[in-house]
């Protein structure tokens, strides 16, 4: 299904031939935003929501959408149609689907925005991994779970790039606790960040009024920068296959890339970051419990999160002399999330508890 302005086209997957199309009228500059659930196309154009079956037959038309609900994402969860306004100060609208009609239950709420990333604050303790080389430094902390590669104290390494791929986990949101909007999780790759500046890119997710919301963002934190986060205006959902890369171009310039292999888009941007030597001396693949200022929000139940092709300078992290292994712990030293061992360039992060 392709949306082109005010027209939706259905194409044959094999031949690319047109099967049907639907054209509607709208205000100047408006275009369709759509999603497909169980072979039904739900589409929003201007202030109207439509539904079409796989043959192009219109199932319903609802013109009661709030006039300010300009959105780039709609999706369905059970018997509810959600419309998300993906602009600064997100707004989420919910409509119940009953007997082919979209009955509005207007619910305006603030959706997820990227949250400032804090680097681990607890001091690491070195424990050699006798089964493999490199040496593993266990690093329990309040925010990060995953791995970071580094050189030795005598021979530090300045990394050129870090990459990884993953599928966005399906969050286990508590629908009964409808007003709980604090549970969050993030997944990213980055250079630096261990007691120094950082450049990173990835996905930030939270449960919003019982609904999983995924926000894409990049961050460059230099010193005590408080304006480091930048949202990426693309759509991604649970189970989408993502690829992320941070590349140092030298002299404090970085190339940040995020690709959604499922939906076929690529984001790429050159940014200015830290010129510190230490800012490229670690390369990480991280699942994070994002903080909100000095507050630590609950870690949403993501089940398991698999990092694949986690590499620094094109090589498995296991090829470098030392690794940080990060575990998220609470103030009672109970584990909230922890990674498995690395196998080649793959590891899994396991959720244990929310706080």
């Amino acid at each position: 299904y392709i949306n082109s302005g005010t027209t939706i086209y259905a194409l044959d997957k094999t031949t690319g031939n047109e099967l049907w199309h639907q054209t509607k009228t709208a205000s100047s500059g408006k275009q369709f935003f759509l999603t497909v659930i169980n072979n039904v196309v739900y589409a929003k154009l201007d202030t109207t929501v439509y539904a079409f079956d796989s043959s192009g037959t219109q199932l319903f038309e609802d013109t009661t959408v709030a006039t300010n609900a300009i959105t780039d994402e709609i999706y369905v969860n059970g018997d509810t149609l959600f419309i998300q306004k993906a602009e600064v100060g997100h707004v989420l609208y919910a409509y119940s689907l009953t007997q082919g009609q979209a009955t509005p239950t207007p619910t305006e709420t603030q959706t997820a925005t990227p949250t400032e990333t804090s680097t681990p604050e607890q001091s690491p303790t070195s424990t050699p991994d006798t089964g493999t080389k490199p040496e593993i430094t266990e690093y329990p902390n309040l925010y990060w779970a995953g791995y970071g590669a580094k050189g030795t104290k005598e021979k530090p390494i300045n990394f050129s790039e870090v990459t990884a791929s993953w599928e966005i986990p399906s969050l286990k949101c508590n629908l009964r606790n409808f007003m709980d909007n604090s549970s969050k999780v993030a997944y990213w790759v980055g250079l630096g960040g261990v007691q120094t500046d950082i450049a990173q890119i990835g996905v930030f997710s939270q449960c919003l009024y019982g609904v999983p919301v995924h926000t894409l963002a990049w961050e460059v934190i230099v010193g005590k920068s408080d304006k480091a986060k930048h949202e990426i205006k693309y759509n991604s959902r649970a189970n989408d296959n993502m690829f992320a890369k941070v590349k140092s171009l030298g002299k404090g310039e970085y190339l940040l890339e995020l690709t959604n292999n499922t939906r076929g888009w690529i984001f790429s941007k050159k940014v200015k970051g830290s010129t510190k030597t230490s800012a490229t001396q670690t390369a990480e693949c991280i699942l994070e419990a994002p903080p909100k200022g000095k507050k630590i929000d609950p870690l949403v139940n993501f089940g398991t999160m698999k990092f694949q092709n986690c590499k620094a300078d094109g090589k498995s992290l296991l090829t470098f002399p030392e690794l940080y292994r990060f575990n998220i712990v609470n103030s009672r030293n109970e584990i909230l999330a922890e990674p498995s061992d690395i196998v080649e360039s793959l590891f899994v992060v396991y959720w244990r508890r929310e706080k």
Side-chain angles (χ1 to χ4, degrees):
Y1 298 97
I2 299 174
N3 59 313
S4 177
T6 59
T7 302
I8 297 175
Y9 296 92
L11 307 180
D12 185 277
K13 285 185 177 180
T14 304
T15 65
N17 294 332
E18 180 181 324
L19 302 177
W20 55 265
H21 72 268
Q22 285 277 3
T23 301
K24 301 294 182 179
T25 58
S27 303
S28 176
K30 303 299 183 183
Q31 64 176 355
F32 269 115
F33 298 104
L34 56 88
T35 189
V36 182
I37 306 291
N38 296 328
N39 292 321
V40 176
V41 181
Y42 296 95
K44 180 181 179 297
L45 177 64
D46 202 358
T47 60
T48 304
V49 173
Y50 302 90
F52 307 99
D53 66 17
S54 57
S55 67
T57 302
Q58 183 172 310
L59 301 178
F60 71 77
E61 173 181 335
D62 174 51
T63 59
T64 59
V65 181
T67 56
N68 63 343
I70 303 169
T71 180
D72 72 358
E73 182 170 7
I74 68 174
Y75 52 96
V76 173
N77 186 353
D79 293 329
T80 306
L81 173 71
F82 292 96
I83 298 178
Q84 179 179 331
K85 177 183 177 183
E87 299 172 356
V88 176
H90 295 263
V91 176
L92 184 71
Y93 296 85
Y95 296 82
S96 62
L97 300 177
T98 16
Q99 298 179 351
Q101 298 296 318
T103 305
T105 55
T107 322
E108 295 196 16
T109 62
Q110 295 299 309
T111 64
T113 56
T115 51
E116 181 179 349
T117 299
S118 294
T119 56
E121 297 175 351
Q122 299 187 21
S123 299
T125 55
S126 296
T127 55
D129 184 346
T130 58
T132 61
K133 196 176 173 72
E135 180 178 288
I136 303 292
T137 299
E138 299 290 349
Y139 207 145
N141 68 98
L142 299 175
Y143 308 110
W144 292 8
Y147 286 91
K150 67 188 188 78
T152 63
K153 183 177 181 180
E154 295 75 19
K155 293 184 178 181
I157 297 173
N158 287 97
F159 294 97
S160 295
E161 70 174 36
V162 59
T163 60
S165 58
W166 64 83
E167 288 188 358
I168 299 176
S170 296
L171 305 184
K172 296 175 175 62
C173 295
N174 185 356
L175 294 175
R176 288 173 295 182
N177 192 2
F178 190 71
M179 297 302 294
D180 179 14
N181 302 313
S182 61
S183 299
K184 299 180 179 70
V185 67
Y187 347 91
W188 51 263
V189 300
L191 292 175
V194 181
Q195 300 175 354
T196 189
D197 300 336
I198 190 170
Q200 63 187 58
I201 192 167
V203 181
F204 294 74
S205 303
Q206 79 172 116
C207 289
L208 179 69
Y209 291 87
V211 179
V213 177
H214 307 286
T215 304
L216 315 173
W218 59 271
E219 291 186 320
V220 173
I221 299 177
V222 180
K224 295 183 179 180
S225 169
D226 61 353
K227 295 182 179 180
K229 47 190 177 292
H230 301 268
E231 186 175 344
I232 300 170
K233 302 292 187 177
Y234 285 98
N235 291 334
S236 288
R237 299 180 189 163
N239 303 314
D240 282 3
N241 182 272
M242 310 297 296
F243 172 80
K245 177 168 75 173
V246 174
K247 183 178 180 66
S248 172
L249 303 176
K251 298 182 179 180
E253 189 174 43
Y254 295 84
L255 176 66
L256 308 179
E257 293 186 359
L258 190 65
T259 302
N260 187 315
N261 295 311
T262 303
R263 303 187 182 276
W265 56 255
I266 300 174
F267 170 86
S268 180
K269 186 177 182 66
K270 288 183 180 179
V271 300
K272 290 292 186 180
S274 178
T275 57
K276 291 181 181 178
T277 301
S278 60
T280 57
Q281 288 184 347
T282 58
E284 300 93 15
C285 300
I286 296 294
L287 179 142
E288 181 183 2
K292 185 177 182 180
K294 295 183 179 181
K295 178 185 176 183
I296 303 173
D297 287 324
L299 180 65
V300 65
N301 186 351
F302 57 86
T304 59
M305 164 70 184
K306 182 189 294 184
F307 280 100
Q308 302 182 77
N309 302 309
C310 176
K311 297 180 179 181
D313 294 346
K315 298 180 289 185
S316 166
L317 301 192
L318 293 175
T319 63
F320 297 98
E322 295 188 15
L323 286 181
Y324 287 126
R325 179 161 56 203
F326 301 99
N327 296 286
I328 301 176
V329 298
N330 60 21
S331 59
R332 300 179 298 277
N333 208 35
E334 298 168 325
I335 294 177
L336 275 63
E338 60 182 339
S340 68
D341 292 339
I342 299 177
V343 178
E344 295 182 352
S345 59
L346 180 152
F347 67 92
V348 178
V349 181
Y350 297 93
W351 181 88
R352 300 304 187 197
R353 59 193 302 144
E354 68 174 8
K355 58 185 178 179

